[in-house]
Amino acid sequence: MEAAFPPLLSGLAVKLLRRPPSLREMVVIVGYADDYAWFAELVRRLFPEEAETVLSAPGVRARVERFADLFAERHFPLYAPFVEYWTEVEEDEPPWSWLRRGIPFDLAGFGYDSLHELWDCCSDGISALALLVKPSDAFFYGADGIRTAWLESAGERIPKETLQRIPQGGIPIGDLTEAVKGTRFEGAALACSWVFAETGNFFLDHSYDDGWYDGYADPWEDEIIAEGTAEWRRARSHMDSVGRLVDRLEEDLPARYTEMLDFILPRLPEYEQEDCHDEQK
């Protein structure tokens, strides 16, 4: 019978494969020992079974990346730049010090720059769907201006006569929501509510782009994590519904957009189907 390895030696091979920490890593850990102790306790509290694997990863970045990947898998994604940036700039604090300030939520909302460059930074499908809805004057400091720019870009991809069918100024989002509820075009209203930050969902209605939300507001409490996890699941469902419609539209944007308008317009309250603004002509 083959002899079994003594219990105390069974994990020796794995331990011997671990390299000693680099000088920089030791400086970071020692220099921010209190923050690192907090990070280690957080990992062990949230992921007791995987904690030692996470904390034994070679290097500062690898440890935080493993934690972020595991957290995203179980709960919701964390803002990636806190790993990508804070581990590359030697004179700054390590990423676990920033984590200690609060949860860095990965926000998926549309900021000011994204909205004003919609056709350049977002998919054609999302951009085309945003044309359906009437923007808020307060949000855009003049809704006609943003629609003019969007319609000019849309004209390069969708026939003019199709765009002219959209009610002048856009459809109130409540009317669009009612028109497509429970239909294959429900994603149209969901896309517009996402673009205009009217979903009521934390992840979809906020963005870092505008600089008013730093994302490090909430402590790593179990109740907050659970709430964020449920909110992210709703956000994923919302985005998946939008994605399915966007994929279909982009298979043939001119034809599928026309098909969508044929379905939606008769279901709306009475709108004048005359040409939109002069900029569409």
Side-chain angles (χ1 to χ4, degrees):
M1 178 182 297
E2 186 176 351
F5 289 104
L8 294 178
L9 298 180
S10 59
L12 182 60
V14 174
K15 295 181 181 295
L16 290 176
L17 289 176
R18 296 179 184 171
R19 64 163 182 80
S22 67
L23 179 59
R24 181 192 171 197
E25 183 180 346
M26 287 298 298
V27 169
V28 169
I29 292 175
V30 173
Y32 295 91
D34 189 49
D35 290 344
Y36 184 75
W38 172 88
F39 173 69
E41 191 279 331
L42 176 69
V43 175
R44 293 188 175 104
R45 175 169 65 86
L46 296 181
F47 310 114
E49 295 183 2
E50 300 88 350
E52 295 313 312
T53 300
V54 171
L55 296 173
S56 64
V60 170
R61 180 176 184 131
R63 294 180 192 185
V64 179
E65 283 181 336
R66 286 189 182 183
F67 169 75
D69 290 344
L70 193 57
F71 192 88
E73 179 184 323
R74 304 283 177 84
H75 300 292
F76 49 84
L78 302 177
Y79 188 50
F82 90 90
V83 175
E84 297 169 357
Y85 179 75
W86 299 114
T87 57
E88 294 175 358
V89 183
E90 295 188 18
E91 62 270 19
D92 276 299
E93 297 172 274
W96 47 69
S97 293
W98 287 87
L99 284 175
R100 194 174 185 181
R101 300 181 183 189
I103 302 173
F105 299 97
D106 189 16
L107 305 178
F110 291 76
Y112 181 90
D113 290 340
S114 297
L115 288 168
H116 284 75
E117 300 173 5
L118 193 65
W119 284 89
D120 295 323
C121 67
C122 298
S123 72
D124 285 357
I126 286 281
S127 302
L129 289 171
L131 293 172
L132 295 173
V133 165
K134 179 179 181 180
S136 165
D137 287 337
F139 191 83
F140 291 103
Y141 304 101
D144 289 346
I146 194 72
R147 279 185 62 79
T148 298
W150 287 355
L151 288 165
E152 288 176 353
S153 296
E156 301 174 4
R157 302 161 174 86
I158 301 172
K160 173 184 173 181
E161 55 270 22
T162 300
L163 296 174
Q164 289 175 340
R165 297 179 60 196
I166 302 173
Q168 185 172 345
I171 305 166
I173 194 165
D175 291 347
L176 179 62
T177 299
E178 286 300 315
V180 299
K181 183 184 298 184
T183 74
R184 66 186 186 278
F185 293 109
E186 189 168 28
L190 296 176
C192 293
S193 66
W194 182 11
V195 169
F196 295 111
E198 296 183 16
T199 69
N201 183 278
F202 170 75
F203 289 98
L204 301 183
D205 289 348
H206 295 86
S207 167
Y208 290 109
D209 293 348
D210 299 334
W212 60 270
Y213 181 78
D214 63 12
Y216 293 87
D218 295 293
W220 296 82
E221 296 177 357
D222 291 344
E223 183 178 355
I224 292 173
I225 293 172
E227 183 179 347
T229 302
E231 189 78 343
W232 176 247
R233 288 172 181 162
R234 290 188 286 268
R236 282 301 322 171
S237 176
H238 191 114
M239 291 187 287
D240 289 345
S241 296
V242 172
R244 286 191 291 271
L245 178 58
V246 166
D247 289 344
R248 176 173 170 77
L249 288 176
E250 292 181 346
E251 290 174 0
D252 185 350
L253 187 57
R256 295 289 168 78
Y257 203 75
T258 299
E259 176 189 346
M260 182 179 67
L261 290 179
D262 289 342
F263 180 88
I264 291 175
L265 295 181
R267 293 168 171 260
L268 297 173
E270 292 298 323
Y271 286 106
E272 295 182 2
Q273 299 300 317
E274 56 187 43
D275 288 358
C276 295
H277 299 288
D278 292 339
E279 65 266 16
Q280 288 181 268
K281 299 180 179 179

